[in-house]
Every structure is written in C-alpha cells, then in structure tokens.
Amino acid sequence: MSTIAENIAKVRARIREAAQASQRDSAAIGLLAVSKTKPAAAIREAFASGQRDFGENYLQEALGKQAELSDLDLIWHFIGPIQSNKTRPLAEHFDWVHSVDRLKIAQRLSEQRPAHLPPLNICLQVNVSGETSKSGCTPEELPALARAVTQLPHLKLRGLMTIPEPTEDPVAQRVPLAQLRELRDGLGMDLDCLSMGMSQDLEAAVAEGATWVRIGSALFGARDYPVNKGSES
Ligand SMILES: *Cc1c(COP(=O)(O)O)cnc(C)c1O
C-alpha cells in the first residue's frame, strides 16, 4: 500500500473510533481531503483509495489541479479566504464553498453560478472565539447572514464552518467546536453540516457533531510551504 492509502485507512479508522465513542454513525461524517500545496498525483493516489471529496485553499493552484484531474469524478470544496473579485471561478468550478463569511461574496457566488449546475453548497465560516483567524463572521452577524443566504437562488446553505485556534489540549479543543454546534442549532434552520475538525482535533470535532472533517497533513504529510501565502485566493 502507498503511504497515502495507508494514511487514508488510518484516518478512516480514527473517524470510526471517534464516532463509536460518541455513539454516532460514522457514515454521517464525511472525510474532506485537504490537498492544498500537494500535487495532482497525490490526489490521484487518494482517489485510487476511494476518496472523492477534496478541499483546496488557493484558487489558482486548485484550478490547475482540476484541469490535470478532469478525467476523475471528484467533488471539489473551496475552504480558503475569498476575494470578491475571484468569485466567478469559484462559482463555476466548485461543488462546495465552506468559507463564505459575508453577504457580498454570497450574492456574487449566486449570481455567477452557471444555470446548468446544481446550487452551490455553502457553509458560513464563523469566527467563534474571535481570536487569531481574521476570516469568519462573528456569532452576532451570523443569524442575519444565514437568513439572507437562504434567499439566494443558486446557493444551498448547508451549515457552518470554523477554524479554531490550534491547541493540543483535547478538552480545550472542544470548546469552540461545541460553540459552532450551538450556533447552528440556535439558527433553527435545519442545516445538516458542521465543517470542523482538522488532523489535530478530529476526535474532538466528531464528539461535537462534525459532519465534515477537513484533513490535510494526516493524509498527505506535512506541507512544504506555509498555508499563509499572502493574499492569493
Ligand atoms: C489546511 C487546512 C486544513 C487541514 O489542516 P491539517 O492540520 O493539515 O489537517 C483544514 N481546514 C482548513 C481551512 C485548512 O486551511
């Protein structure tokens, strides 16, 4: 087995064990393979192990890989910061966008979604604990943003996403993840997705109700260049 195939098997086992520990059905937890900075060949290898959903952070990089991999039936998720002048390729080339945090972006994505494609699946990114990440709406802004996004014809609001401040403490990890779940439940909107959990806090996220875990380094190894490449999206 290749390393990527082994890693996928290990991460799937982690998801199953975490689901079991909190009496959840592991089928309700999707594995989003975060392939940013990794070559198309790595995605091809993951695909050979049954992986279909891939997450990318940088638009130009993602478009290049999509072109190289057009022979595969992949589901593409955008999870990085969004510039308002870059929404058209997102609307045209992705199935999901997890990082919508303001109405202007949502409106542009809806207007620019091609008519022949199904509605673009949207998660609203929330900055739950208001610390490191500059991205994400505030918990106070969320209800009005969510209501407005549900009115947009070519989007389908699926749920919420967050990127908490990294910590290795498994108890502290659960605090912002529980907050995201409570915010989702508080909207009373029947949203089926919570996009939360990365390589380090997968177990905490599953315990708090994650339906998408976004896993990069545990699948593809450490990244060679830092995730903050400046303003490109
Ligand atoms: C890079 C990234 C991930 C994956 O992080 P790992 O720690 O490598 O698993 C998940 N979500 C977002 C938004 C990311 O940018």
Side-chain angles (χ1 to χ4, degrees):
M1 253 203 286
S2 78
T3 310
I4 289 175
E6 280 170 12
N7 289 346
I8 288 178
K10 280 184 205 155
V11 167
R12 291 201 177 280
R14 279 176 69 186
I15 293 172
R16 273 197 308 277
E17 280 162 33
Q20 216 160 31
S22 44
Q23 274 132 29
R24 296 188 58 203
D25 179 359
S26 62
I29 302 152
L31 173 57
L32 178 54
V34 176
S35 43
K36 63 174 177 229
T37 83
K38 299 298 176 183
I43 295 177
R44 212 171 265 288
E45 239 180 283
F47 178 84
S49 295
Q51 182 64 32
R52 293 293 176 273
D53 290 274
F54 292 87
E56 291 280 343
N57 294 56
Y58 310 112
L59 184 58
Q60 289 314 317
E61 180 189 321
L63 295 175
K65 285 184 238 180
Q66 288 177 347
E68 276 185 76
L69 296 165
S70 60
D71 57 314
L72 303 184
D73 190 15
L74 302 177
I75 302 167
W76 291 99
H77 300 241
F78 191 79
I79 61 173
I82 302 168
Q83 290 175 15
S84 59
N85 61 349
K86 302 268 183 70
T87 49
R88 184 175 297 279
L90 288 182
E92 291 175 348
H93 295 282
F94 285 81
D95 303 292
W96 287 72
V97 178
H98 293 231
S99 44
V100 172
D101 63 0
R102 52 199 196 277
L103 185 56
K104 180 182 172 192
I105 297 289
Q107 285 167 333
R108 293 177 64 96
L109 289 172
S110 182
E111 281 162 19
Q112 294 167 343
R113 181 68 169 172
H116 69 277
L117 294 178
L120 184 60
N121 293 293
I122 298 293
C123 292
L124 298 177
Q125 183 174 353
V126 189
N127 191 355
V128 277
S129 27
E131 49 353 47
T132 49
S133 168
K134 281 178 265 113
S135 303
C137 70
T138 65
E140 292 72 31
E141 290 164 339
L142 176 65
L145 177 60
R147 277 194 302 273
V149 169
T150 59
Q151 302 304 309
L152 297 171
H154 304 292
L155 304 186
K156 182 161 176 51
L157 182 60
R158 299 296 300 270
L160 306 182
M161 178 273 223
T162 196
I163 310 174
E165 185 160 35
T167 167
E168 285 178 19
D169 174 357
V171 177
Q173 281 174 355
R174 287 181 65 160
V175 175
L177 305 170
Q179 283 175 312
L180 193 73
R181 173 172 44 72
E182 285 158 14
L183 285 170
R184 191 268 312 263
D185 295 346
L187 290 172
M189 281 181 161
D190 198 26
L191 301 176
D192 61 350
C193 289
L194 283 175
S195 169
M196 59 188 196
M198 307 180 17
S199 295
Q200 181 179 245
D201 62 353
L202 183 160
E203 282 77 10
V206 169
E208 294 298 347
T211 64
W212 282 116
V213 289
R214 308 181 308 265
I215 308 297
S217 49
L219 293 178
F220 298 113
R223 286 175 289 272
D224 307 332
Y225 61 90
V227 298
N228 287 321
K229 280 203 311 177
S231 62
E232 191 213 348
S233 74

